[in-house]
Amino acid sequence: MATSGLKQSFESLAALCKSGRFQEALPGAQTLAETHPDHFAVQQLYGAILKELDHLEAASQAFERAVTLKHDDAGAHFNFAVLCQKRRQFEAAVLHYTRAIALKPDHAAALNNLGNTYRSLADHQQARLAFERALKIRPDYVGCWCNLAGLFSETGQYPEAETACLAALKLDPDSADATALLLRIRARLCDFDGVRALAPNVEHLGLTGKAVPPFDLLSMEDAPARQKLRAKAWAAQNYGHISATTLPAHIKRPKRLRVGYFSSDFHDHATLRLMSGVLRCHDRHRFEIFAYGFGREMSGALFEEMADSVDGFHAIQNLSEEAATELARSHDLDIAVDVNGFTKHARSELFAKRVAPVQISYLGFPGTMGLRGIDYIVADRVLIPEALRQHYVEKVIYLPASYQPNDRQRPISGIPVSRAQMGLPESATVLCCFNACHKIGETEFDIWMRLLRRDSSRVLWLMRQHAVAMKNLRQHAAKKGVSSEQIVFAEPLPNAEHLARHRLADLFVDTFHYNAHTTGSDALWAGVPMVTNQGGQFSARVAASLLSAAGLPELITETADGYEALIQQLLTDKSRLTELRMRVEATCPSSDLFNTESYTRHLEEAFEEADSLIRAGREPRDISVLS
């Protein structure tokens, strides 16, 4: 092609790209790249078009070719590094971002991306240095301030994270990212005044303008309609560009259905503690079970037990989305189960692309995902009654008891433990809440303080938090007339010992917007009654689901006043509380909540019905499993 013809073709393709018509530009760009393999600008353009169309492997090859052609071009290294980072080739990304920065020392975007790459490698020190270098070059870089705040939050440096968020908001008061992150940080610091100051933002956050991570807003308000809209907005913003492949089921059902569980939490984590019994109890005559792990940590006794329980375990944390999708599809899965949802380290792209004919959201994310590739959500009639069904995009699998699995073989330490060892007064009435601190809202905390103020022999037992969070809780208690000695913080312990110390408590008191999940099952398994206030959204109804399955519906309240009144009644009537504790200890272990075998059979029945529907060429529909 003559030089003038090449120029004309290049400019024409560039014009199409400028107007967003990448698919239209692709054939011409491919032809141009094939006929001019040594033309730097052509390879760059071709790579950019492929990247926009999510053809990442081909885009990476084009950008790598460009780097080879012009190895001293910072932009070429930057573009290639972006593709490497996106394809989870983090070491290569570091190499090329570093090269781009060496060629162009003021390349703030490369430094910012380098920081995020180091975050993916869990190299927090190098990540911080990269972000801080970028901000010296561009102090007005709002996105970098947010990334630095996120890094500080990941490492538990919440005051520093708050400072970075405030710097971002000073530059852009409307930044949805910074506002959502600041809410999350202040919740983790139990800064009720700070959270209240941001309350006017919550109603619209993630609904107009930029979407925000839906998980972060679950503890901020009980609003199922808005939580659904946030999830849909997040799904559209991050995965709406992905074209899902249709994976039709084979007409003939195999002897064993192939089910794949995908999770970042295959280690000593609350999620795996809950579902380990299900993985162990699956009927291997009817089901072939695969597990796909993509967490940073995959080790320990619980991990080894899981790996031994399944037919095949695959570590995919270092695989690109294309490679992980190809691997999962090569196993010819019938059902893929997303155990993360929109939580930390999620790999939602796999489900947006589709790795199985039937895809199910399960356990990890307490709410609708609004993601086109998710067909079902596992729930129960307490979690999603008919009156609230409209707030869920997916079809619902209704299990007959609680949606939450539990492992009946979870050990409780037999080592004797005393209140004195745990820093608890021997004669106190102990209210405990071992929920994560970001779940604790001002409303329920004030109720707890009123209960403590009525009787100085009562104490509140919480999990140890960040030093600032504990200080804030004690200061808030003092404002409500409660002595700091009435709040005791528990140190982390191995799970079996943690379960054993529950028995030192008299009553577990639940949080509102985001209930006890695993912590609720922990309390009941250890024989401690729990009182909850049932809300509207999924995360605000989990404890009610647990109590219903445990045969304790009388401990579910409908209002904050009712919650406070019931706790006060139980604390005042010691004989009633003693009888209740005896009942929980006697009946909970044999209740539906802890019947791992029965739960697994019900889940399998739902899997088989979902599979049968698609094999018959029918659309997914709500599935109700009978007890």
Side-chain angles (χ1 to χ4, degrees):
M1 184 183 294
T3 303
S4 59
L6 170 61
K7 182 180 179 183
Q8 185 177 6
S9 297
F10 185 89
E11 290 176 350
S12 176
L13 291 169
L16 287 174
C17 294
K18 191 173 183 181
S19 61
R21 295 153 65 185
F22 298 103
Q23 191 64 55
E24 191 176 338
L26 180 58
Q30 183 175 355
T31 300
L32 211 61
E34 290 172 353
T35 54
H36 295 80
D38 296 329
H39 195 290
F40 172 76
V42 167
Q43 296 300 323
Q44 286 277 72
L45 179 64
Y46 183 42
I49 292 169
L50 290 166
K51 176 175 173 290
E52 289 294 333
L53 295 173
D54 210 37
H55 302 320
L56 300 186
E57 185 173 355
S60 181
Q61 292 171 359
F63 284 139
E64 185 174 18
R65 178 68 178 162
V67 166
T68 303
L69 291 168
K70 202 170 182 179
H71 58 82
D72 60 350
D73 186 273
H77 284 281
F78 178 80
N79 288 337
F80 186 37
V82 168
L83 261 295
C84 291
Q85 182 183 1
K86 194 170 179 63
R87 301 183 70 216
R88 306 181 74 82
Q89 298 169 343
F90 299 124
E91 288 82 3
V94 167
L95 177 67
H96 289 282
Y97 281 133
T98 302
R99 181 60 179 156
I101 294 160
L103 292 165
K104 192 175 186 295
D106 63 346
H107 203 320
L111 282 161
N112 177 61
N113 288 8
L114 178 62
N116 281 328
T117 307
Y118 276 127
R119 281 176 72 183
S120 297
L121 292 168
D123 190 337
H124 302 127
Q125 182 178 2
Q126 289 300 321
R128 177 176 178 175
L129 290 172
F131 290 141
E132 289 177 341
R133 282 183 63 190
L135 289 168
K136 283 183 180 179
I137 296 164
R138 275 186 55 192
D140 62 345
Y141 200 159
V142 174
C144 191
W145 279 114
C146 290
N147 288 331
L148 180 60
L151 173 68
F152 282 137
S153 181
E154 284 176 13
T155 55
Q157 297 170 275
Y158 297 124
E160 293 88 346
E162 181 174 23
T163 299
C165 273
L166 291 172
L169 286 168
K170 185 176 181 180
L171 293 164
D172 180 7
D174 297 322
S175 171
D177 287 336
T179 303
L181 187 52
L182 184 58
L183 272 166
R184 187 176 81 195
I185 291 162
R186 287 180 173 174
R188 279 162 173 73
L189 288 173
C190 300
D191 179 3
F192 298 140
D193 293 337
V195 170
R196 199 183 323 110
L198 293 170
N201 301 81
V202 171
E203 186 173 335
H204 304 290
L205 193 59
L207 303 181
T208 58
K210 196 172 190 295
V212 298
F215 185 81
D216 291 349
L217 275 294
L218 292 176
S219 60
M220 294 297 116
E221 62 172 357
D222 179 16
R226 286 197 287 273
Q227 303 294 12
K228 173 185 174 181
L229 292 174
R230 287 189 185 104
K232 290 179 69 175
W234 182 255
Q237 175 179 285
N238 291 281
Y239 313 108
H241 66 285
I242 297 175
S243 299
T245 300
T246 301
L247 295 177
H250 300 297
I251 295 175
K252 185 178 180 182
R253 182 195 187 281
K255 181 180 178 182
R256 295 199 297 167
L257 282 185
R258 292 188 156 204
V259 179
Y261 289 91
F262 294 72
S263 177
S264 66
D265 299 321
F266 286 138
H267 59 99
D268 188 14
H269 185 277
T271 300
L272 186 54
R273 286 197 293 271
L274 288 176
M275 64 182 291
S276 58
V278 171
L279 296 175
R280 186 179 61 249
C281 289
H282 267 307
D283 184 347
R284 290 307 192 277
H285 296 293
R286 294 159 51 218
F287 293 89
E288 188 174 2
I289 305 300
F290 295 82
Y292 300 84
F294 44 86
R296 290 175 181 169
E297 180 185 352
M298 287 188 285
S299 61
L302 206 57
F303 168 78
E304 296 296 338
E305 179 186 339
M306 178 279 301
D308 289 341
S309 296
V310 300
D311 295 286
F313 173 76
H314 302 275
I316 62 171
Q317 71 273 25
N318 295 322
L319 297 184
S320 67
E321 305 309 335
E322 306 103 306
T325 301
E326 183 179 349
L327 175 68
R329 287 178 182 171
S330 75
H331 297 147
D332 204 19
L333 298 176
D334 299 295
I335 296 172
V337 183
D338 181 4
V339 187
N340 274 76
F342 292 146
T343 59
K344 191 175 181 182
H345 306 309
R347 297 288 293 272
S348 302
E349 297 92 338
L350 302 178
F351 295 89
K353 290 175 181 292
R354 192 168 284 277
V355 293
V358 175
Q359 300 192 142
I360 300 173
S361 174
Y362 177 62
L363 194 60
F365 182 72
T368 186
M369 290 180 66
L371 184 67
R372 188 171 58 238
I374 296 295
D375 306 304
Y376 295 94
I377 182 173
V378 176
D380 56 63
R381 293 288 178 182
V382 175
L383 279 175
I384 308 179
E386 192 57 40
L388 297 171
R389 175 66 184 84
Q390 63 185 308
H391 303 306
Y392 299 83
V393 173
E394 305 84 359
K395 300 304 178 184
V396 181
I397 290 174
Y398 290 103
L399 297 184
S402 177
Y403 86 110
Q404 188 191 88
N406 278 282
D407 186 357
R408 187 173 274 177
Q409 294 185 15
R410 283 181 67 195
I412 300 179
S413 173
I415 300 173
V417 59
S418 68
R419 284 189 167 184
Q421 288 174 301
M422 295 295 111
L424 296 167
E426 202 61 47
S427 59
T429 300
V430 179
L431 301 177
C432 85
C433 181
F434 290 147
N435 292 357
C437 64
H438 71 270
K439 295 183 179 182
I440 301 173
E442 186 173 9
T443 301
E444 56 265 41
F445 192 80
D446 284 351
I447 289 172
W448 300 342
M449 294 305 99
R450 287 196 292 272
L451 292 164
L452 296 187
R453 195 170 62 237
R454 290 184 187 126
D455 186 340
S456 61
S457 69
R458 297 172 181 172
V459 300
L460 177 65
W461 197 17
L462 304 172
M463 286 301 299
R464 172 166 287 280
Q465 314 293 344
H466 189 282
V468 174
M470 293 190 292
K471 178 182 176 183
N472 284 338
L473 288 173
R474 286 197 164 111
Q475 287 181 342
H476 194 80
K479 291 178 185 177
K480 300 298 177 179
V482 174
S483 165
S484 62
E485 285 76 25
Q486 287 180 268
I487 300 180
V488 180
F489 293 98
E491 299 291 340
L493 284 177
N495 191 250
E497 296 174 40
H498 173 61
L499 288 172
R501 72 176 166 191
H502 276 75
R503 293 166 173 165
L504 302 175
D506 294 288
L507 190 66
F508 188 104
V509 290
D510 195 21
T511 47
F512 285 6
H513 299 334
Y514 200 132
N515 291 170
H517 287 46
T518 309
T519 48
S521 287
D522 286 351
L524 296 172
W525 183 239
V528 181
M530 172 175 61
V531 175
T532 191
N533 180 42
Q534 180 175 265
Q537 65 195 27
F538 193 119
S539 64
R541 301 176 69 86
V542 168
S545 168
L546 304 180
L547 288 167
S548 295
L552 298 163
E554 68 272 26
L555 298 181
I556 303 168
T557 66
E558 301 285 346
T559 65
D561 288 344
Y563 170 88
E564 182 172 357
L566 177 57
I567 295 172
Q568 176 63 15
Q569 289 167 17
L570 291 171
L571 297 183
T572 303
D573 188 344
K574 293 297 179 66
S575 61
R576 180 184 173 191
L577 183 57
T578 300
E579 290 173 4
L580 180 61
R581 283 189 60 104
M582 292 173 64
R583 179 179 153 205
V584 171
E585 290 174 0
T587 64
C588 265
S590 59
S591 69
D592 288 340
L593 181 61
F594 297 106
N595 192 333
T596 311
E597 287 277 358
S598 176
Y599 177 96
T600 307
R601 298 291 85 79
H602 291 145
L603 188 65
E604 290 173 344
E605 184 179 335
F607 286 172
E608 290 183 319
E609 184 168 345
D611 175 76
S612 295
L613 284 170
I614 198 163
R615 285 185 197 281
R618 299 166 66 183
E619 293 293 320
R621 67 183 184 195
D622 286 359
I623 294 171
S624 293
V625 179
L626 301 178
S627 59

